[in-house]
Amino acid sequence: MQKALMVLTFGLLMASCTKNAVVNSSQSSNGSTYQYSVDLTKVENDKLEVTLISPKITTDEITFRLPKTVPGTYSTDDYGRYLSDFKAFDSKGNHLITNKLDVNSYTIKDAKKLHKISYKIDDTWDSPEIKGTKIFEPTGSDIVAGKEFSINTHCFFGYFDGMKQVPYQVTFTKPSGFYGATSMVAKSSTATTDVFEMNNYMDLVDAPILYTQPDTTVLKIGGADILVSVFSPNKKATSKEIAANVNTLLEAQKEYLGGKLPIKKYAFLIVLSDNPNLTSYGALEHSYSSFYYLPEATSEALSQTVKDVASHEFFHIVTPLNIHSEEIGNFDYNDPKMSKHLWMYEGLTEYAAGHMQAKYNLITLPKYLDMLRQKISTMKSMKDNLPFTEMSANVLDKYKNQYMNVYNKGALIGVCLDIKLRQLSGGKYGTQNLMQDLSKTYGKEQSFKDDELFDKITALTYPEIRQFFATYVEGKDPLPLAEILQSVGIDYLPEATVKQASLGGISIGFNQATNRLKVSSIDKVNDFGKQMGYKANDELVSVNGEAMEMMKIQSIMSEFGTKTKEGDTVTVEVARKNAEGKEEIIKLSAPAILVETKQKNVLRLTENPTAEQLKLRNAWLKP
């Protein structure tokens, strides 16, 4: 799932749900355990050897598998591509016959004699020789000897058919001074080894680990310990700085969720990359942790991105942790079946991530409306007449190119549903209440049937909500954005002429070597641009004192366009080469000129809202 630079991608559904799983008769009930071991001090060609002392096998033949797909990726990744040198042994060290069944699976003969298997695992971040779909970094692995080990456990550890419910013990031998940041609590830990025990394969896959020289900070919020672990290769950001940023966010999320967090421990595992050719970044959430892969930058530059991404990922402690369908609760890693409720798993989660920030004043209302405008524009560029439930159920294959709409139309479904619920309840009940009620109805260990969720929500709320789902989520009709937003005093205009500041009509390019935006052409520069005195190949260093770091550009330009007033002094620093070819920082300045531009999907506050509109808006956006 590779996305272009500046596009945030989020993962989904690393649910750890075991109550409904079927236990195969081949499992041992006599304390049999998978006993894995990995020595992080012995890296060869970016590979690590994985050893498994097998649980008791009661069949003559058994199949060992690494996942084809894991929850949240919505792509066929075939993690078995990165496995090599697979071997199986009996208790005397004799080789057992093995056959490679497919890219992810190996059969073992005389399996009743099986004592040990071993294999080598390559990392997914840096193995260009391995062909196939590029694995999105937050769902993959990185092996950098003596520096950093990003371990998504599904990349390293597998299971035998019918035996995912057997307990796991995993032992890591670690380099001197290294710490394994994870949501798991170690059974034992010394200076050289960590031992983790998990109830089953689903719980193990639900818990990534980041091994580095420690840079960690622990926050105590809402009855939970929140671990923030950061790997910044050039020390541009620290866990203490990022934790301070996340702390404000989590305090607001605690209030949004009712004053207490429904967890005891949570881990933010953050890897910052100094790769100059970075083309994708984002995160994958799990029940009790989330794994981040972001461009290396200062904590200040990362601030809003971390808030936006972390807010989304952290809200997954509600769903799918406490609200999930049977397709998620009994996830099949090698023949997955998709739920049709991505509108809830990802859509409502993405909606809550933004709504919470607006509701608790972490962002301004104009900033929030701009966020919604961007989502509307992206939704309109995709198949807006495709029933969302149909897309969701077929997202692995037929509609995989529509997946990103879960963060756009999915969130807008949340907007409409929330306001609709508040209309029907006189402002007293919204999606926050709905998710709390669904959590109480189901919970971590009880899955719902995919076809029953809409009726269950209707029973908890109002009859009109069933028609809403039938028309706009199961049906092809476009969301009633104009009607819904008008009820809270917000005008939605499919197209409008607006006056706002611009940088001067310059054409913008990008210099990958310096990681800066540049002036690629001044052919269409306007009067303001002429006064500024841009030259082709100028590189933008700062705008009104704000450094144009890649992680901040979108926010800086959005605020510049909407907040700058006619006549305000605009100052832009550019890097320009002099006659000798040496770079100089030049300060350009001129009074701002507002220009008329046509924009699509404009959202603006109604000029004279009614008392009823203001009351509903306050119910929607005030704590």
Side-chain angles (χ1 to χ4, degrees):
M1 189 167 60
Q2 184 173 339
K3 303 298 172 191
L5 187 66
M6 299 306 293
V7 174
L8 299 181
T9 52
F10 312 100
L12 160 72
L13 309 184
M14 300 304 281
S16 174
C17 318
T18 62
K19 183 175 180 179
N20 299 299
V22 176
V23 178
N24 188 282
S25 60
S26 66
Q27 295 177 197
S28 169
S29 59
N30 299 317
S32 186
T33 303
Y34 290 86
Q35 298 179 51
Y36 270 108
S37 59
V38 181
D39 190 339
L40 302 180
T41 68
K42 295 180 179 179
V43 179
E44 293 184 9
N45 299 320
D46 281 352
K47 295 181 181 180
L48 286 167
E49 183 172 60
V50 179
T51 301
L52 168 64
I53 302 301
S54 171
K56 181 179 177 62
I57 306 297
T58 60
T59 56
D60 292 327
E61 183 175 291
I62 195 75
T63 299
F64 174 85
R65 302 185 191 274
L66 284 185
K68 174 181 179 180
T69 298
V70 294
T73 59
Y74 286 95
S75 61
T76 298
D77 288 323
D78 290 326
Y79 292 94
R81 287 181 287 155
Y82 298 87
L83 182 154
S84 60
D85 202 19
F86 184 87
K87 298 174 183 177
F89 306 90
D90 65 16
S91 60
K92 296 179 180 180
N94 298 313
H95 284 268
L96 298 178
I97 296 173
T98 64
N99 293 306
K100 189 172 183 178
L101 186 63
D102 57 43
V103 68
N104 302 302
S105 311
Y106 294 80
T107 58
I108 302 170
K109 305 289 186 181
D110 293 326
K112 290 179 181 179
K113 297 179 181 179
L114 180 63
H115 173 66
K116 182 178 79 170
I117 65 173
S118 67
Y119 50 86
K120 293 178 180 177
I121 290 291
D122 207 338
D123 61 359
T124 70
W125 291 10
D126 185 29
S127 300
E129 72 281 1
I130 296 177
K131 306 302 180 185
T133 303
K134 183 183 184 296
I135 291 179
F136 182 45
E137 285 83 355
T139 72
S141 61
D142 196 27
I143 299 170
V144 184
K147 290 186 177 181
E148 168 254 332
F149 300 88
S150 293
I151 298 173
N152 268 298
T153 42
H154 56 263
C155 296
F156 287 80
F157 309 117
Y159 62 92
F160 293 115
D161 274 355
M163 300 182 69
K164 291 199 295 284
Q165 295 296 328
V166 172
Y168 279 70
Q169 181 186 88
V170 180
T171 301
F172 288 98
T173 301
K174 56 190 178 183
S176 176
F178 268 51
Y179 174 72
T182 180
S183 61
M184 292 186 288
V185 177
K187 179 71 173 179
S188 64
S189 184
T190 69
T192 58
T193 60
D194 292 326
V195 179
F196 300 100
E197 293 184 352
M198 302 300 280
N199 290 331
N200 49 58
Y201 188 69
M202 291 73 74
D203 285 355
L204 178 64
V205 168
D206 201 22
I209 311 168
L210 175 60
Y211 271 102
T212 61
Q213 294 282 349
D215 178 9
T216 60
T217 299
V218 176
L219 304 170
K220 292 187 178 295
I221 298 174
D225 290 336
I226 310 296
L227 170 68
V228 180
S229 178
V230 174
F231 175 71
S232 179
N234 300 298
K235 311 300 181 186
K236 289 188 176 181
T238 68
S239 66
K240 183 177 180 180
E241 294 165 344
I242 291 178
N245 184 31
V246 172
N247 183 69
T248 304
L249 177 80
L250 296 183
E251 287 287 356
Q253 286 185 295
K254 176 195 72 174
E255 296 305 316
Y256 195 88
L257 293 172
K260 187 176 181 181
L261 298 178
I263 51 170
K264 295 296 183 183
K265 180 182 179 182
Y266 191 91
F268 290 95
L269 310 180
I270 303 172
V271 174
L272 304 180
S273 173
D274 60 358
N275 179 0
N277 299 315
L278 184 68
T279 57
S280 64
Y281 61 89
L284 182 71
E285 86 285 347
H286 302 255
S287 295
Y288 303 101
S289 62
S290 42
F291 194 99
Y292 300 76
Y293 178 78
L294 302 170
E296 189 175 29
T298 63
S299 298
E300 180 187 4
L302 289 167
S303 175
Q304 190 58 48
T305 296
V306 168
K307 282 181 179 176
D308 290 342
V309 182
S311 178
H312 176 102
E313 306 304 346
F314 190 75
F315 267 126
H316 279 297
I317 62 175
V318 178
T319 179
L321 177 57
N322 288 299
I323 312 169
H324 52 263
S325 69
E326 294 174 335
E327 287 78 5
I328 303 307
N330 302 328
F331 191 81
D332 189 327
Y333 296 89
N334 288 81
D335 186 21
K337 306 294 187 296
M338 293 295 105
S339 168
K340 64 183 182 181
H341 293 296
L342 273 176
W343 70 272
M344 181 181 71
Y345 299 130
E346 288 297 344
L348 277 191
T349 300
E350 176 69 356
Y351 166 63
H355 180 237
M356 179 275 301
Q357 292 186 68
K359 189 167 187 173
Y360 289 94
N361 298 314
L362 300 183
I363 57 175
T364 64
L365 180 54
K367 171 71 173 177
Y368 182 52
L369 294 184
D370 187 57
M371 289 171 60
L372 295 182
R373 175 178 174 263
Q374 292 177 41
K375 293 185 183 302
I376 294 170
S377 296
T378 304
M379 174 185 71
K380 295 293 185 182
S381 71
M382 306 189 82
K383 295 185 69 170
D384 194 25
N385 62 347
L386 173 64
F388 215 77
T389 50
E390 182 181 346
M391 183 276 288
S392 180
N394 297 281
V395 72
L396 274 182
D397 37 55
K398 187 177 180 180
Y399 297 123
K400 61 183 179 181
N401 64 341
Q402 296 295 308
Y403 171 69
M404 286 306 296
N405 214 10
V406 300
Y407 306 111
N408 297 287
K409 185 172 183 177
L412 295 168
I413 289 171
V415 172
C416 294
L417 179 61
D418 194 7
I419 295 174
K420 184 73 173 176
L421 285 168
R422 293 177 190 279
Q423 278 183 307
L424 294 168
S425 64
K428 297 178 180 179
Y429 191 97
T431 51
Q432 287 171 259
N433 312 88
L434 172 63
M435 298 308 278
Q436 290 174 10
D437 286 346
L438 287 173
S439 293
K440 295 173 185 175
T441 301
Y442 296 106
K444 182 176 184 293
E445 296 186 345
Q446 182 177 345
S447 302
F448 62 78
K449 292 186 180 298
D450 230 36
D451 290 336
E452 295 178 359
L453 181 62
F454 289 140
D455 291 334
K456 175 59 71 173
I457 291 174
T458 302
L460 289 169
T461 58
Y462 303 93
E464 293 89 337
I465 296 302
R466 188 66 186 87
Q467 188 58 49
F468 173 87
F469 286 129
T471 305
Y472 304 114
V473 185
E474 295 173 294
K476 296 182 178 182
D477 286 12
L479 289 170
L481 289 169
E483 174 191 339
I484 291 288
L485 291 173
Q486 185 58 221
S487 70
V488 290
I490 295 172
D491 298 330
Y492 166 56
L493 305 172
E495 184 173 289
T497 299
V498 300
K499 291 189 71 173
Q500 63 176 28
S502 79
L503 282 180
I506 54 178
S507 297
I508 297 292
F510 181 70
N511 186 340
Q512 198 164 28
T514 61
N515 209 32
R516 292 183 187 137
L517 297 181
K518 70 174 185 178
V519 179
S520 60
S521 172
I522 56 173
D523 291 346
K524 297 182 180 180
V525 71
N526 60 25
D527 289 342
F528 172 71
K530 290 175 182 177
Q531 291 183 44
M532 290 291 283
Y534 295 109
K535 291 186 178 181
N537 295 316
D538 281 351
E539 296 185 5
L540 304 185
V541 176
S542 72
V543 174
N544 288 341
E546 289 275 358
M548 292 289 279
E549 298 184 55
M550 289 305 298
M551 299 299 290
K552 297 173 66 178
I553 289 172
Q554 189 172 2
S555 175
I556 290 172
M557 295 313 301
S558 175
E559 292 199 4
F560 173 78
T562 56
K563 290 187 175 181
T564 304
K565 298 177 182 177
E566 187 91 30
D568 285 354
T569 298
V570 176
T571 301
V572 177
E573 287 184 319
V574 300
R576 180 183 295 171
K577 289 185 178 180
N578 60 24
E580 289 76 36
K582 293 184 178 180
E583 184 177 275
E584 294 181 346
I585 303 300
I586 308 295
K587 186 177 289 188
L588 310 178
S589 185
I593 299 174
L594 303 190
V595 296
E596 288 190 345
T597 59
K598 284 189 176 181
Q599 288 187 354
K600 293 184 180 297
N601 304 310
V602 173
L603 297 179
R604 61 191 182 197
L605 297 179
T606 302
E607 285 191 14
N608 296 299
T610 66
E612 186 178 359
Q613 287 173 319
L614 287 175
K615 181 180 179 181
L616 189 58
R617 185 197 297 171
N618 288 335
W620 175 45
L621 289 177
K622 298 292 183 183

